[in-house]
């Protein structure tokens, strides 16, 4: 933990595949491939690696002229190398820019990252191929960054730095009261306090239980009485309606009989 840093000082494919740099076994085949690789930097690349900037995620239509226009605002540029496919000649989406002064390099590294060029947000970092010990490129399973969709993220670079590891063994020991005598005594006292509180809680719950039963029984009796009252009121209402209908029918019969008598007179 004392020598931990979010940015890798030396490239280790196994650590680069871990979010906090603590993995002990590879979790994908690309890491195995990177660990077995014996990569030698390209000897045909010229220029000072300590003054060279790596620019990635470029629009495939971006040209050297456009890069010179944008990055020359940070200082004098000595050389721009836009990496292209050997067969098609099309851009691969990344380039190397060598400055004349370190001050310009640092300024571009600080301010140009996530700059939008030709509708693309670019990524800027120092050149790592010739400056970071043990470097393995992405095509051999190494590198930094990566897409989540690929499932082969690499950590320890500027894009995805290491997260600080959590010291789980210490947390576990403290939780179970292991370690110093003071901590063990504290854990025992704490356990006694918990047991006392549990007993008090059980006793109070036993006291409250008969009251709850009485309240529930009272509530049940009240509900039963209310339901009985509702049923009786419903029956009374039906009886009244039936009597009213019978009374109306008798009145209609009497009225009809009286009309018939009047006709015969």
């Amino acid at each position: 933990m004392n020598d931990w840093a979010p940015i890798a000082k030396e490239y280790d494919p196994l650590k680069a595949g871990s979010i906090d740099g603590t993995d002990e076994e590879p979790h994908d085949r690309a890491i195995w491939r990177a660990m077995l690789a014996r990569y030698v930097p390209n000897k045909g690349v010229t220029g000072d690696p300590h003054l060279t900037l790596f620019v990635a995620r470029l629009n495939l239509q971006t040209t050297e002229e456009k890069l010179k226009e944008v990055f020359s605002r940070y200082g004098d540029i000595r050389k721009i190398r836009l990496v292209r496919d050997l067969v098609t000649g099309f851009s691969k989406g990344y380039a190397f820019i060598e400055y004349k002064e370190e001050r310009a390099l640092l300024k571009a590294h600080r301010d140009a990252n996530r700059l939008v060029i030709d509708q693309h947000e670019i990524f800027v970092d120092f050149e790592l191929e010739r400056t970071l010990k043990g470097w393995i490129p992405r095509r051999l399973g190494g590198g930094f960054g990566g897409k989540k969709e690929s499932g082969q993220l690499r950590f320890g670079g500027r894009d995805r730095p290491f997260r600080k590891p959590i010291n789980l063994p210490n947390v576990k020991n403290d939780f179970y009261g292991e370690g110093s005598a003071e901590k063990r005594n504290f854990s025992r006292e704490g356990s006694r306090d918990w047991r006392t509180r549990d007993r008090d809680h059980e006793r109070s719950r036993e006291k409250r239980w008969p009251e709850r039963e009485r309240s529930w029984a009272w509530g049940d009796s009240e509900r039963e009485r209310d339901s009985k009252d509702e049923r009786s009121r419903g029956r009374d209402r039906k009886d009244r309606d039936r009597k009213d209908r019978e009374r109306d029918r008798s009145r209609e019969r009497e009225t009809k009989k009286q009309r018939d008598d009047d006709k015969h007179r």
Side-chain angles (χ1 to χ4, degrees), residues 8-18 21-24 26 31 34-35 132-136 141-144 154-156 162:
K9 300 177 182 178
E10 182 176 340
Y11 192 81
D12 185 346
L14 182 59
K15 291 182 179 180
S18 172
T22 59
D23 278 5
E24 297 180 357
I31 295 178
M35 293 173 64
L132 187 63
K133 184 179 178 181
W135 172 254
I136 303 294
F144 286 129
R154 299 292 179 261
F155 301 88
F162 288 129

Side-chain angles (χ1 to χ4, degrees), residues 246 248-258:
E246 291 177 355
D248 293 338
R249 292 195 195 100
S250 62
R251 286 176 183 174
E252 289 178 358
R253 284 195 295 269
E254 290 176 359
T255 304
K256 185 178 181 181
K257 185 178 180 182
Q258 187 175 2

Side-chain angles (χ1 to χ4, degrees), residues 6-13 15-17 54 57 123 125-126 128 132-133 135-138 141-147 152-162:
I7 305 299
K9 300 177 182 178
E10 182 176 340
Y11 192 81
D12 185 346
K15 291 182 179 180
F54 171 69
R57 301 172 188 168
F123 171 72
D125 198 359
F126 299 119
L128 301 176
L132 187 63
K133 184 179 178 181
W135 172 254
I136 303 294
R138 188 69 186 182
F144 286 129
K147 296 181 180 179
Q152 296 179 0
L153 298 179
R154 299 292 179 261
F155 301 88
R158 186 182 191 184
D159 190 23
R160 283 193 175 87
F162 288 129

Side-chain angles (χ1 to χ4, degrees), residues 27-206:
H27 61 77
D28 62 57
R29 294 180 180 178
I31 295 178
W32 276 114
R33 194 166 70 252
M35 293 173 64
L36 297 175
R38 295 293 179 265
Y39 178 72
V40 178
N42 187 0
K43 296 181 180 179
V45 178
T46 59
D48 189 348
H50 298 285
L51 294 178
T52 303
L53 205 65
F54 171 69
V55 183
R57 301 172 188 168
L58 293 170
N59 190 325
L60 298 182
Q61 306 302 322
T62 301
T63 62
E64 289 88 343
E65 290 75 16
K66 183 66 177 181
L67 290 175
K68 185 175 182 180
E69 177 187 348
V70 173
F71 282 90
S72 60
R73 69 182 67 168
Y74 305 109
D76 295 334
I77 295 176
R78 180 174 295 164
K79 183 181 180 182
I80 295 179
R81 181 167 62 94
L82 180 63
V83 179
R84 297 178 178 274
D85 188 274
L86 295 176
V87 178
T88 63
F90 295 150
S91 169
K92 286 190 174 182
Y94 63 96
F96 295 91
I97 301 176
E98 183 185 357
Y99 282 94
K100 294 181 179 181
E101 298 179 353
E102 186 179 5
R103 181 175 58 183
L105 175 79
L106 298 177
K107 188 176 180 181
H109 180 269
R110 182 190 63 202
D111 298 339
N113 190 41
R114 295 188 176 181
L115 193 68
V116 177
I117 301 177
D118 294 336
Q119 293 81 44
H120 275 225
E121 185 179 85
I122 65 172
F123 171 72
V124 174
D125 198 359
F126 299 119
E127 181 190 338
L128 301 176
E129 182 178 8
R130 295 179 292 169
T131 58
L132 187 63
K133 184 179 178 181
W135 172 254
I136 303 294
R138 188 69 186 182
R139 68 176 183 273
L140 297 179
F144 286 129
K147 296 181 180 179
K148 293 182 180 179
E149 296 80 7
S150 65
Q152 296 179 0
L153 298 179
R154 299 292 179 261
F155 301 88
R158 186 182 191 184
D159 190 23
R160 283 193 175 87
F162 288 129
R163 293 186 184 179
K164 194 169 185 179
I166 301 174
N167 198 351
L168 295 178
N170 291 344
V171 175
K172 184 176 181 181
N173 292 341
D174 293 342
F175 180 80
Y176 287 103
E178 300 174 1
S180 63
E182 295 179 358
K183 290 183 178 179
R184 287 197 295 271
N185 294 334
F186 176 77
S187 64
R188 293 196 190 101
E189 293 175 0
S191 62
R192 283 199 295 272
D193 293 340
W194 277 107
R195 294 193 189 97
T196 305
R197 284 196 291 270
D198 290 341
R199 284 198 298 270
D200 296 339
H201 179 70
E202 289 293 333
R203 290 171 183 170
S204 62
R205 188 172 64 178
E206 291 175 358

